[in-house]
Amino acid sequence: MVQITLPDGSKRDFPGPVTVAEVAASIGAGLAKAALGGKVNGKLVDTSYPITADSPLSIVTAKDADGLEMIRHSTAHLLAYAVKELFPEAQVTIGPVIEHGFYYDFSYKRPFTPEDLAAIEKKMGELAAKDEPVQRRVLPRDEAVAYFKSLGEHYKAEIIASIPSNEEVSLYREGKFEDLCRGPHVPSTGKLKHFKLMKVAGAYWRGDHRNEMLQRVYGTAWASKEELQQYLTMLEEAEKRDHRRLGRELDLFHLDEHSPGTVFWHPKGWAIWQEVEQYMRRVYRENGYQEVKGPQILDKALWEKTGHWDKYRENMFTTESEKRDYALKPMNCPGHILIYKQGIKSYRELPLRYGEFGACHRNEPTGGLHGIMRVRGFTQDDGHIFCTEDMIQEEVKAFTTLLQKVYKDFGFTEIIYKLSTRPEKRIGTEESWDRAEAALAEGLKASGCDFEYLPGEGAFYGPKIEYTLKDALGRPWQCGTIQVDPNLPERLDAEFVGEDGARHRPVMLHRAIVGSLERFIGILIEQYAGALPTWLAPVQVAVLNITDAQGDYCQEIAQKLKKSLPNQELRVVTDLRNEKITYKIREHSMQKLPYILVAGDKEKAAGAVAVRARGNKDLGVMSLEAFVQLIAADIAHKSVEPAPQGQ
């Protein structure tokens, strides 16, 4: 007798071993048809999985996250099946699930073309329509190696050969195609209906540049036609908002092969940078941070003490001078500890908060570079808090509240909070980990945040919180973090004098709000489709004349506007070209300016301007004083509305 406990607490008895599919069928025909797999004792399994002992079971369908994962995993196999049908000489390698879809790597004698991709997708549809069962079998490792060698699948044979010899391996067959896989998979190919192949890219076998370059085919798969279409629409919108395209069109920055992975900021792009940096500088100043500045190049000996020379050297740019080895800093923390160590610190000075707009360099692989989102040279809004263990909770609470305000000011109101806890390999006592994790959790709770745990995802020296914002398209961007670190203060011998007169180690909290300024500005450009809020816009106002008779008046208006606000200068340009006013208005509208002021003879005579706001909104004629009040309020309140989709 086998007793199955369902999620609602009800129980079902069966005379002997029973499969997930049979349990689903006993509940109802609808569930039997919808079932993709099951969760037995928390383990995801196929519908053919036999349950031999009393167990809890939940049936997995396409409505579940696990079901969607199974659909994507199985669609990757369907892709490989189709490729083998069309290109029998191609060798299959690996095909995992990734965010929003899957990919599969192939070895083939020539690059796949867009026409090939279309043919493969069509073949996938034909194979799915056959609704062939997906069947699992198990072989001893050596027998599996021999089997795949006999098929000419040498990459698969190499993968299997790396598995311990005493282990069995599972294979999944659908029609003529059989693949190595741990599973689980959907019960038949007919469950795979809503997919699309996206692109082909290069990828080295096992990620090693010394190995053969394979062809990586990317695809996406969804549980419904509507979800697939929503995703494809989102990608179309993302393409319109691509910061690289907008960077060129709006003349903000460019990237150059003379310095790969670094950014050449143009005047308008640098204006955005300065606005972000100066805003964050005010945040530092108003929240108890002391701004510092460390050197770019630091001696090898320091990086050896921190452990970076051994564990991170391949990602560091190194140099040599007078027989001494140096590295460009990939992060700012060691420099902040060296600043902290100058002079004796007392417990009365803690918490001590340092902030730096620190330029860092990391030797990212060329294939990983992406516009200004992922670069080799970047600047962080980096901060480090030196405190005692019992101060962590309050610092986390204050930091989280501050981060929420900053994100709101930039127009991001949806934040995901994740707490990464102790990994298997770690230093420190269990008690210290307990206290650190509890302090981070309580700090989040005190800030009113719902959060999820990421077990085992913390650094080897301490737990961390990750703050992920969502943009106008619902895409997640992990920018903020706060991380507990007792390790670096120990390695670099940082101390403070306690109330007892003895020397103690401080805890170091690594924290960032926007993270890399380059990446954050890229996110902002895409969030607003280049139409940045007035306070961030590189040009806030353009003043246009209708004829030469208003040229001097427009220049006078522009000069008054620049000096019209206290403690800041409006970013104003004039356009006095001898062109039709409609042409000039259209040209500046294409540059996504917040305001365009037009002056003709009537406006000049009245000492006024005709005001047009972004989005082709005619605000009518108003005095300069009235417009100054309008734009001052706009800047002060910081528009948080992203550009509508489709613009």
Side-chain angles (χ1 to χ4, degrees):
M1 181 72 69
V2 173
Q3 188 175 78
I4 301 299
T5 304
L6 298 173
D8 63 0
S10 63
K11 300 180 186 297
R12 289 180 175 259
D13 294 323
F14 297 87
V18 61
T19 65
V20 172
E22 289 169 338
V23 176
S26 75
I27 298 172
L31 184 60
K33 184 178 180 180
L36 299 180
K39 262 194 167 178
V40 180
N41 292 310
K43 177 185 176 184
L44 193 62
V45 298
D46 305 303
T47 55
S48 60
Y49 179 83
I51 306 171
T52 59
D54 294 353
S55 304
L57 167 67
S58 58
I59 305 298
V60 174
T61 72
K63 295 179 180 179
D64 303 310
D66 287 323
L68 182 56
E69 179 113 347
M70 291 180 70
I71 287 171
R72 288 171 174 167
H73 191 182
S74 298
T75 309
H77 280 231
L78 184 67
L79 163 61
Y81 185 5
V83 168
K84 290 296 290 184
E85 287 285 292
L86 294 172
F87 309 98
E89 296 177 12
Q91 290 192 59
V92 296
T93 63
I94 58 171
V97 172
I98 56 175
E99 186 178 22
H100 304 311
F102 57 90
Y103 69 78
Y104 214 114
D105 289 347
F106 301 95
S107 173
Y108 191 53
K109 59 188 177 184
R110 65 166 176 80
F112 290 137
T113 65
E115 292 75 21
D116 292 333
L117 221 58
I120 294 168
E121 186 178 304
K122 181 181 178 183
K123 177 60 71 173
M124 290 170 67
E126 294 170 358
L127 296 172
K130 290 183 177 182
D131 197 21
E132 295 176 313
V134 179
Q135 299 169 319
R136 181 179 184 269
R137 68 174 176 139
V138 175
L139 290 178
R141 188 205 70 170
D142 291 344
E143 190 175 328
V145 170
Y147 171 66
F148 278 99
K149 282 184 176 179
S150 73
L151 297 176
E153 297 289 354
H154 301 293
Y155 289 92
K156 286 292 180 187
E158 182 181 328
I159 294 170
I160 300 170
S162 65
I163 298 171
S165 59
N166 61 339
E167 291 189 16
E168 293 184 321
V169 296
S170 59
L171 311 182
Y172 282 82
R173 173 178 289 278
E174 50 200 85
K176 302 175 186 177
F177 178 70
E178 192 166 28
D179 201 358
L180 166 73
C181 192
R182 285 195 297 266
H185 283 283
V186 299
S188 69
T189 60
K191 302 293 184 184
L192 310 174
K193 300 176 181 178
H194 313 293
F195 53 79
K196 184 170 182 58
L197 299 185
M198 307 303 295
K199 64 178 181 177
V200 181
Y204 292 110
W205 169 236
R206 294 190 179 275
D208 189 332
H209 66 88
R210 294 167 294 188
N211 292 335
E212 181 193 351
M213 175 69 80
L214 305 174
Q215 296 189 68
R216 178 167 293 176
V217 179
Y218 286 92
T220 188
W222 296 84
S224 70
K225 182 179 179 180
E226 292 73 24
E227 288 173 310
L228 173 61
Q229 190 54 54
Q230 286 172 7
Y231 177 69
L232 296 177
T233 300
M234 186 275 288
L235 290 183
E236 291 176 9
E237 184 64 28
E239 178 64 26
K240 296 176 188 174
R241 294 168 179 253
D242 190 307
H243 73 280
R244 295 166 297 181
R245 179 176 66 83
L246 290 170
R248 292 190 302 271
E249 292 177 359
L250 303 179
D251 193 24
L252 304 177
F253 60 83
H254 83 275
L255 304 164
D256 197 297
E257 280 306 307
H258 289 93
S259 184
T262 58
V263 186
F264 290 78
W265 290 100
H266 298 188
K268 291 201 289 185
W270 193 243
I272 301 171
W273 175 291
Q274 283 297 314
E275 200 62 45
V276 174
E277 181 178 327
Q278 295 308 321
Y279 170 89
M280 292 307 301
R281 182 163 276 119
R282 290 192 296 273
V283 167
Y284 280 176
R285 199 163 49 240
E286 294 167 4
N287 289 275
Y289 287 84
Q290 301 177 56
E291 190 174 340
V292 297
K293 190 70 174 175
Q296 287 288 100
I297 299 176
L298 294 162
D299 192 282
K300 168 187 173 182
L302 177 68
W303 300 114
E304 287 176 329
K305 286 182 182 178
T306 65
H308 290 96
W309 196 261
D310 291 331
K311 298 180 180 179
Y312 200 73
R313 185 178 177 182
E314 65 181 19
N315 300 105
M316 298 166 71
F317 288 101
T318 59
T319 187
E320 180 269 336
S321 176
E322 297 179 342
K323 299 182 180 180
R324 290 179 66 180
D325 291 321
Y326 298 89
L328 281 170
K329 64 178 178 180
M331 64 276 297
N332 300 297
C333 21
H336 287 192
I337 294 181
L338 296 184
I339 294 172
Y340 172 89
K341 287 177 62 178
Q342 295 303 298
I344 299 172
K345 299 295 185 294
S346 163
Y347 71 94
R348 293 187 179 89
E349 297 175 70
L350 305 183
L352 184 59
R353 306 182 188 97
Y354 289 151
E356 178 179 1
F357 297 99
C360 300
H361 290 81
R362 296 178 186 172
N363 192 13
E364 300 282 358
T366 301
L369 302 177
H370 178 70
I372 65 175
M373 298 287 205
R374 186 156 186 187
V375 290
R376 288 174 172 165
F378 58 96
T379 299
Q380 292 179 307
D381 75 312
D382 216 354
H384 293 92
I385 302 168
F386 296 90
C387 63
T388 62
E389 216 174 54
D390 59 5
M391 294 175 179
I392 295 174
Q393 179 178 331
E394 200 57 39
E395 288 300 309
V396 169
K397 177 185 175 184
F399 173 74
T400 302
T401 301
L402 176 60
L403 174 140
Q404 291 167 337
K405 180 187 182 304
V406 170
Y407 284 1
K408 184 178 180 182
D409 281 351
F410 282 110
F412 303 104
T413 55
E414 189 174 353
I415 307 171
I416 301 167
Y417 306 89
K418 297 179 181 179
L419 173 51
S420 299
T421 59
R422 69 197 78 184
E424 185 176 340
K425 294 181 180 180
R426 57 184 180 270
I427 62 172
T429 65
E430 294 304 294
E431 292 77 14
S432 67
W433 277 91
D434 288 341
R435 290 192 296 270
E437 290 173 359
L440 294 184
E442 291 305 316
L444 283 173
K445 290 175 185 176
S447 301
C449 302
D450 293 326
F451 63 94
E452 63 176 288
Y453 285 95
L454 298 178
E457 294 296 313
F460 73 93
Y461 50 77
K464 65 178 178 179
I465 299 170
E466 291 181 348
Y467 303 84
T468 301
L469 56 85
K470 280 196 171 184
D471 69 8
L473 298 182
R475 297 174 299 179
W477 301 94
Q478 195 269 307
C479 296
T481 185
I482 189 163
Q483 186 162 354
V484 177
D485 183 2
N487 177 57
L488 270 187
E490 177 74 30
R491 281 177 176 256
L492 298 185
D493 199 29
E495 297 179 331
F496 69 91
V497 177
E499 195 171 2
D500 58 1
R503 303 272 178 148
H504 301 270
R505 294 275 184 235
V507 173
M508 186 181 197
L509 302 180
H510 304 258
R511 48 107 292 173
I513 297 179
V514 304
S516 158
L517 267 68
E518 287 82 357
R519 180 169 177 263
F520 191 72
I521 291 171
I523 294 169
L524 285 172
I525 292 169
E526 296 196 359
Q527 162 81 352
Y528 292 102
L532 294 166
T534 304
W535 74 283
L536 285 171
V539 176
Q540 296 163 317
V541 186
V543 184
L544 283 53
N545 64 328
I546 295 178
T547 69
D548 289 343
Q550 302 93 40
D552 291 343
Y553 177 66
C554 286
Q555 288 181 328
E556 179 185 339
I557 289 290
Q559 290 305 313
K560 287 181 178 179
L561 280 175
K562 288 179 181 180
K563 305 299 181 184
S564 62
L565 300 183
N567 304 319
Q568 63 179 301
E569 182 173 307
L570 282 180
R571 296 183 286 277
V572 184
V573 297
T574 56
D575 186 346
L576 309 180
R577 292 175 298 166
N578 185 21
E579 299 280 1
K580 290 183 177 179
I581 190 62
T582 52
Y583 173 83
K584 292 198 286 187
I585 290 173
R586 182 179 182 279
E587 194 170 74
H588 288 286
S589 297
M590 293 291 289
Q591 288 293 301
K592 303 179 185 287
L593 271 60
Y595 294 100
I596 297 172
L597 307 187
V598 179
D601 286 338
K602 290 182 179 179
E603 288 79 18
K604 179 180 178 181
V609 287
V611 181
R612 302 179 71 89
R614 189 159 45 205
N616 202 28
K617 297 175 183 175
D618 187 350
L619 303 186
V621 176
M622 62 181 72
S623 67
L624 185 61
E625 291 74 17
F627 174 71
V628 168
Q629 290 179 358
L630 170 68
I631 194 170
D634 193 356
I635 291 171
H637 289 95
K638 293 184 170 64
S639 169
V640 297
E641 291 298 323
Q645 292 195 15
Q647 283 197 3

